[in-house]
């Protein structure tokens, strides 16, 4: 295509200004009559009246209007939790060596898993070829703790001390038996990649309480085992606007990639460059009106503000020795799980809405006694310290903390079973998670499994039920918070999900 007849526009040329004026004149009335009018009405009548139920002048409401009105009417419920911290134990921690005490297995060690218990449950390719499925009791002891007299494994001595703060759910189940679909399902409500993650739905539904930091931040431990990969799509925004994706904070001098200025470039330069970039983006937006352009502008501006807010929040030098001792020696080692727990507390104090911590290394197909001992040692103290720290700062009452993995482990050993060594395969049919803080019962255990922690015998909680309950606690109705994409309305819980009212305080 020949360009010779086009004038060469420079962004600071008078021609560019003229063109901008024309576009502004053309759009000013239809843009502002609604915008200013709505604001004026809102201030007269209060937004709650304006947004109480979807209504359109024609009696027919477009999907986009519906979407906006539902958003405007959030919270749908009085929110118990203003903030959420989700400690994701990637790889599938064993319930047998943590919270689901199964003493009967001691007498049955080495016996084959009864067919009546297995009930035709599919096996993974890893244990399908075994000639037998020998039952493996836990190598570690259990004791009762707290006023709630809750069984906790000897591997979790610090968690045992805060058990009266926890709401332990022993009857979580999922459909997925392999890591990637199972983790994707937990993080997005669907086993295939491409849907928005929980944190993105939260950011979309609830907005932000801090304009200098993202509302959804991700921290990945550097000292987690590296058995199963983590993909950044697990905290992606899917089809939601880009500004709702999770932002990963890393250890080291560049906590957020591409945030720092290049050498020889100062804040003033950056500000000026962003000003011109915004003009260009606005110019493009007037031409094609793409919401992603607004998202891009918002992200550039957020990044500029983060240049000052991120170094401040990442700096833990002001923490007392007492705090570091509470979180454990690793808490001084930037990027470790313990340091990330401490950082998460600082981010909560800055009103970040959703913080996702990932700790890998829980996939113990073999060498489970050594593996679990190591993993619990790396996470137990800091997890308990985090709960104590939030409690003493008055943050626990409106923060929800979640701990758990993508599935549980089998009652039988994968591979050779000895008194001191065994492995466990993936088990989606029942496993344990816990929650603490805003809106959930304290010192409470929900759900039961059989003597083999193989089947649920009481109060099952599906992943969709967990999501529905989490949304309710943050003030959102999981059936109403939808987003239209490619001609269909989507939600985090798809077409499922029941709120688990029995665990709510």
């Amino acid at each position: 295509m020949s360009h010779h007849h086009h004038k060469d526009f420079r962004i600071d040329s008078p021609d560019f200004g003229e063109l901008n004026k024309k576009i502004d004149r053309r759009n000013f009335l239809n843009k502002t009559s609604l915008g200013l009018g709505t604001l004026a009405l809102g201030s007269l009548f209060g937004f709650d009246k304006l947004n109480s139920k979807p209504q359109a002048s024609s009696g027919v409401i477009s999907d986009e209007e519906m979407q906006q009105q539902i958003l405007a009417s959030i919270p749908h419920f009085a929110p118990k939790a203003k903030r959420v911290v989700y400690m994701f134990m990637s790889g599938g921690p064993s319930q047998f060596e943590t919270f689901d005490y199964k003493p009967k297995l001691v007498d049955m060690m080495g016996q084959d898993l009864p067919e009546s218990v297995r009930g035709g449950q599919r096996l993974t390719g890893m244990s399908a070829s075994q000639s037998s499925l020998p039952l493996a009791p836990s190598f570690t002891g259990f004791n009762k703790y707290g006023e709630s007299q809750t069984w906790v494994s000897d591997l979790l001595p610090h968690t045992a001390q805060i058990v009266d703060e926890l709401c332990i759910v022993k009857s979580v189940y999922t459909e997925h038996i392999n890591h990637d679909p199972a983790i994707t399902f937990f993080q997005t409500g669907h086993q295939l990649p491409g849907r928005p993650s929980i944190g993105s739905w939260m950011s979309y539904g609830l907005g932000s309480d801090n304009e200098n930091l993202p509302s959804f931040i991700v921290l990945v431990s550097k000292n987690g085992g590296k058995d199963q990969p983590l993909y950044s799509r697990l905290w992606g925004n899917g089809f939601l606007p880009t500004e709702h994706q999770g932002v990963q904070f890393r250890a080291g001098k560049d906590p957020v990639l591409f945030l720092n200025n290049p050498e020889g470039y100062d804040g003033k330069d950056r500000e000026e460059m962003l000003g011109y970039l915004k003009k260009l983006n606005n110019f493009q937006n007037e031409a094609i009106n793409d919401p992603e352009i607004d998202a891009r502008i918002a992200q550039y501006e957020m990044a500029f503000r983060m240049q000052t807010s991120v170094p401040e929040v990442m700096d833990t030098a002001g923490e007392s020795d007492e705090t570091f001792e509470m979180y454990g020696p690793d808490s001084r080692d930037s990027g470790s799980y313990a340091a990330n727990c401490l950082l998460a507390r600082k981010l909560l104090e800055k009103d970040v809405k959703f913080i996702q911590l990932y700790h890998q290394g829980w996939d113990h197909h073999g060498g489970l006694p050594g593996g679990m001992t190591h993993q619990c040692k790396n996470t137990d103290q800091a997890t308990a310290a985090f709960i104590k720290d939030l409690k003493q700062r008055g943050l626990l009452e409106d923060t929800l903390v979640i701990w758990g993995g993508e599935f549980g482990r089998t009652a039988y050993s994968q591979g050779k079973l000895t008194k001191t060594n065994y492995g466990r395969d993936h088990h989606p049919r029942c496993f344990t998670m816990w929650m603490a803080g805003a809106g959930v019962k304290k010192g409470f255990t929900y759900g039961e499994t059989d003597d083999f922690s193989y089947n649920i015998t009481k109060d099952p909680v599906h992943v969709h039920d967990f999501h529905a309950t989490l949304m309710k606690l943050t003030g959102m109705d999981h059936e109403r918070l939808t987003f239209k994409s490619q001609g269909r309305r989507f939600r985090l819980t798809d077409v499922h999900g029941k709120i688990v009212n029995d665990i709510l305080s």
Side-chain angles (χ1 to χ4, degrees):
M1 178 183 157
S2 139
H3 287 277
H4 64 270
H5 59 281
H6 281 293
K7 278 188 98 165
D8 191 14
F9 280 120
R10 274 175 55 235
I11 194 165
D12 53 354
S13 73
D15 297 310
F16 183 89
E18 274 309 303
L19 194 53
N20 241 343
K21 267 186 214 154
K22 279 179 195 148
I23 290 171
D24 282 356
R25 274 193 211 105
R26 192 176 62 224
N27 282 298
F28 180 77
L29 282 168
N30 64 17
K31 278 234 192 302
T32 52
S33 59
L34 273 173
L36 299 176
T38 307
L39 279 175
L41 262 179
S43 62
L44 277 173
F45 299 120
F47 277 109
D48 50 328
K49 295 186 184 66
L50 193 68
N51 293 313
S52 55
K53 60 177 186 289
Q55 50 190 337
S57 49
S58 62
V60 178
I61 187 162
S62 76
D63 281 294
E64 202 150 309
E65 279 179 285
M66 171 87 100
Q67 217 151 285
Q68 287 317 311
Q69 295 209 9
I70 285 173
L71 267 187
S73 67
I74 287 174
H76 303 126
F77 309 112
K80 295 276 175 67
K82 288 185 183 164
R83 299 165 292 271
V84 178
V85 180
Y86 190 167
M87 300 165 160
F88 195 89
M89 302 295 132
S90 171
S94 168
Q95 69 274 31
F96 294 93
E97 284 77 20
T98 48
F99 299 102
D100 205 4
Y101 180 42
K102 296 298 168 190
K104 193 167 175 183
L105 293 177
V106 176
D107 302 329
M108 298 183 73
M109 175 168 168
Q111 291 178 35
D112 215 4
L113 175 73
E115 196 44 59
S116 61
V117 174
R118 185 182 153 196
Q121 157 81 349
R122 66 182 174 148
L123 305 175
T124 71
M126 291 163 286
S127 49
S129 55
Q130 286 185 198
S131 55
S132 75
L133 302 173
L135 292 168
S138 167
F139 74 94
T140 184
F142 271 72
N143 278 293
K144 285 180 164 182
Y145 294 90
E147 281 179 32
S148 54
Q149 287 293 286
T150 303
W151 289 106
V152 182
S153 140
D154 295 350
L155 295 181
L156 299 169
H158 295 278
T159 304
Q161 298 308 309
I162 55 144
V163 81
D164 284 337
E165 294 295 335
L166 306 184
C167 177
I168 298 172
V169 183
K170 292 185 177 175
S171 53
V172 187
Y173 71 103
T174 181
E175 282 125 63
H176 304 292
I177 204 166
N178 292 314
H179 296 283
D180 189 41
I183 293 181
T184 307
F185 191 47
F186 250 104
Q187 297 301 282
T188 71
H190 199 268
Q191 64 167 328
L192 298 175
R195 302 278 179 98
S197 54
I198 308 177
S200 295
W201 279 112
M202 295 266 160
S203 167
Y204 172 69
L206 300 174
S208 170
D209 289 339
N210 180 338
E211 58 172 25
N212 298 320
L213 286 168
S215 54
F216 174 20
I217 291 176
V218 176
L219 305 168
V220 180
S221 316
K222 68 177 185 187
N223 62 334
K226 289 290 176 269
D227 46 22
Q228 293 304 326
L230 288 173
Y231 309 99
S232 56
R233 59 172 166 77
L234 293 171
W235 47 91
N237 54 296
F239 42 67
L240 292 176
T242 325
E243 71 261 35
H244 301 298
Q245 68 186 355
V247 176
Q248 188 179 348
F249 280 27
R250 295 165 163 80
K253 67 178 200 331
D254 278 344
V256 179
L257 297 183
F258 316 116
L259 188 63
N260 287 346
N261 287 324
E263 272 176 46
Y265 196 78
D266 69 21
K268 225 46 227 127
D269 298 334
R270 168 64 62 109
E271 206 167 354
E272 195 177 359
M273 184 273 284
L274 282 176
Y276 284 134
L277 196 57
K278 185 171 181 175
K279 279 185 183 172
L280 269 177
N281 278 321
N282 281 336
F283 182 51
Q284 189 186 5
N285 207 5
E286 297 297 357
I288 59 173
N289 197 16
D290 177 1
E292 270 304 297
I293 297 171
D294 288 331
R296 194 189 314 157
I297 295 171
Q299 282 175 302
Y300 278 129
E301 291 177 345
M302 168 66 82
F304 182 59
R305 295 193 298 273
M306 281 167 66
Q307 287 187 324
T308 48
S309 62
V310 169
E312 179 206 345
V313 80
M314 295 297 286
D315 182 12
T316 53
E319 297 294 329
S320 66
D321 287 346
E322 204 176 48
T323 299
F324 284 119
E325 276 156 33
M326 180 165 80
Y327 280 86
D330 284 351
S331 61
R332 293 182 189 272
D333 179 16
S334 176
S336 68
Y337 176 78
N340 284 349
C341 285
L342 182 49
L343 178 57
R345 191 220 76 216
K346 289 194 69 179
L347 291 168
L348 287 180
E349 289 177 309
K350 299 267 186 242
D351 281 319
V352 173
K353 277 266 186 281
F354 194 91
I355 302 166
Q356 179 96 46
L357 282 84
Y358 288 94
H359 190 80
Q360 293 154 279
W362 296 94
D363 191 27
H364 301 124
H365 292 275
L368 182 142
M372 281 296 283
T373 301
H374 175 75
Q375 287 292 99
C376 291
K377 195 171 183 310
N378 274 345
T379 55
D380 173 47
Q381 183 172 350
T383 301
F386 183 71
I387 299 290
K388 284 193 258 184
D389 201 5
L390 293 196
K391 192 174 183 188
Q392 68 193 22
R393 288 167 194 268
L395 283 166
L396 192 59
E397 58 210 40
D398 56 5
T399 303
L400 179 69
V401 185
I402 301 160
W403 181 99
E406 68 267 38
F407 40 52
R409 311 304 293 195
T410 54
Y412 57 81
S413 177
Q414 182 182 330
K416 193 170 178 324
L417 166 69
T418 69
K419 266 260 188 274
T420 55
N421 204 6
Y422 53 91
R424 296 191 191 275
D425 204 353
H426 307 166
H427 190 63
R429 273 180 114 152
C430 61
F431 54 103
T432 300
M433 291 178 68
W434 60 252
M435 291 181 250
V440 292
K441 288 179 180 164
K442 295 173 169 204
F444 184 70
T445 298
Y446 183 76
E448 288 169 23
T449 60
D450 61 18
D451 288 333
F452 306 90
S453 192
Y454 201 87
N455 298 297
I456 294 167
T457 53
K458 191 178 174 211
D459 298 326
V461 177
H462 187 269
V463 176
H464 290 310
D465 304 336
F466 160 68
H467 286 157
T469 308
L470 168 57
M471 288 183 77
K472 165 138 198 202
L473 285 167
T474 54
M476 293 183 286
D477 182 339
H478 73 106
E479 294 184 347
R480 287 176 68 194
L481 185 68
T482 61
F483 190 89
K484 191 169 186 218
S485 173
Q486 296 181 327
R488 149 172 188 199
R489 283 203 201 108
F490 290 91
R491 49 181 232 225
L492 175 61
T493 49
D494 198 42
V495 295
H496 310 280
K498 297 188 296 291
I499 293 165
V500 189
N501 285 304
D502 292 349
I503 67 170
L504 304 182
S505 57

